Amino acid sequence: MHDDLKRYLNQQLDLFGDELILSEEVEKVLVDPEKKLAELKRVIESCRKCDLWKTRTNTVFGSGDFNARLAFIGEAPGRDEDLQGKPFVGRAGMLLERLLKTIGIKRDEVFIGNVLKCRPPNNRTPSSFEVSQCEPYLVAQLQLIRPRLIVCLGLTAAKTLLKVEYTLGQFRQNMFKYHGIDVLVTYHPAAVLRNPNLEKFIREDFEKIKRLYSES
Ligand code: URA
């Protein structure tokens, strides 16, 4: 608990500067995650830690329920997400929504976010520098939301959170822990759109998500 608190406060310091280390403010941080998430959203909106701010239309904070027991983490906004400022609203998002529907979950009852909050030009894979600059935002989001289960959609999310260099096949065969939270890794919906042979695997994984979610 002590270590968690220390880590949390160090992240606040990193993200917001030392003004929040005042005890009154710290208390607010600890009792009001929604307020903290709103503040974090404002910080992200003006972020210039890597060059992606130059080409973004909007930052994409994430959407859904900030008290969710289940969080889906993708890679980075694409064109539609950049234009609308919302995650997974393009073709990959439609597939994600269909998959959620098959297991009886509505998208607004879960949290949906990404490793990067800005679109990489032409949807290229995020660089390790971009990931390193953006990761503290994801860490803070997950600490504030504290879901019971995190689903990594694709390798970028899995490698960023779990810090192991597995293949997607290896990730899929295991369950992981992220600061005490269960983590499951499945294919990115965009990969399934590119290769329909993967659909049966992602469907299997969503059945597993359904079971874990109902037990959470
Ligand atoms: N792909 C992602 O990884 N995230 C989105 O929000 C959209 C497409």
Side-chain angles (χ1 to χ4, degrees):
M1 177 59 202
H2 181 70
D3 279 353
D4 269 359
L5 187 59
K6 221 163 115 184
R7 202 168 31 245
Y8 180 85
L9 292 175
N10 277 331
Q11 265 160 15
Q12 301 304 312
L13 183 62
D14 192 31
L15 290 169
F16 303 111
D18 61 4
E19 88 241 44
L20 286 172
I21 299 305
L22 302 169
S23 59
E24 188 189 316
E25 292 294 333
V26 166
E27 203 166 305
K28 240 187 273 165
V29 166
L30 294 175
V31 297
D32 197 349
E34 298 242 349
K35 185 160 180 273
K36 210 69 223 118
L37 281 161
E39 238 173 86
L40 181 61
K41 185 166 185 285
R42 281 197 296 277
V43 171
I44 290 172
E45 280 163 1
S46 55
C47 181
R48 293 186 169 192
K49 292 203 290 175
C50 76
D51 280 348
L52 295 182
W53 70 271
K54 295 180 186 166
T55 47
R56 74 182 173 219
T57 314
N58 289 294
T59 55
V60 179
F61 181 74
S63 69
D65 185 351
F66 295 142
N67 292 305
R69 283 159 30 233
L70 175 56
F72 287 84
I73 307 300
E75 178 174 289
R79 188 176 59 104
D80 296 306
E81 291 76 19
D82 172 69
L83 290 174
Q84 296 184 41
K86 294 195 189 110
F88 283 97
V89 289
R91 282 183 68 228
M94 282 188 255
L95 175 55
L96 175 61
E97 244 175 80
R98 277 205 304 280
L99 289 163
L100 283 171
K101 204 166 167 196
T102 62
I103 58 166
I105 298 176
K106 295 194 196 74
R107 80 173 273 161
D108 50 358
E109 78 185 82
V110 301
F111 174 76
I112 301 178
N114 283 303
V115 174
L116 293 198
K117 312 308 184 205
C118 297
R119 182 193 184 199
N122 303 316
N123 301 344
R124 64 160 167 72
T125 303
S127 71
S128 53
F129 178 73
E130 288 156 0
V131 171
S132 72
Q133 297 308 294
C134 226
E135 187 183 353
Y137 298 139
L138 178 61
V139 172
Q141 287 179 310
L142 292 172
Q143 286 216 333
L144 291 162
I145 297 166
R146 293 291 312 165
R148 300 279 179 82
L149 174 64
I150 298 170
V151 176
C152 292
L153 299 169
L155 277 178
T156 298
K159 288 182 180 174
T160 301
L161 291 183
L162 301 172
K163 309 284 178 226
V164 278
E165 289 293 316
Y166 286 172
T167 62
L168 202 108
Q170 290 170 321
F171 274 125
R172 272 190 79 237
Q173 285 158 24
N174 292 286
M175 284 295 297
F176 300 85
K177 286 274 185 196
Y178 176 80
H179 298 287
I181 305 170
D182 285 325
V183 181
L184 178 148
V185 180
T186 188
Y187 290 101
H188 193 291
V192 179
L193 290 173
R194 282 193 301 270
N195 179 2
N197 293 330
L198 298 177
E199 186 157 338
K200 63 174 181 297
F201 300 115
I202 201 170
R203 286 193 183 280
E204 277 172 26
D205 294 342
F206 270 69
E207 284 306 317
K208 193 166 166 190
I209 294 165
K210 179 185 184 178
R211 185 172 51 73
L212 293 168
Y213 183 53
S214 70
E215 290 166 359
S216 70

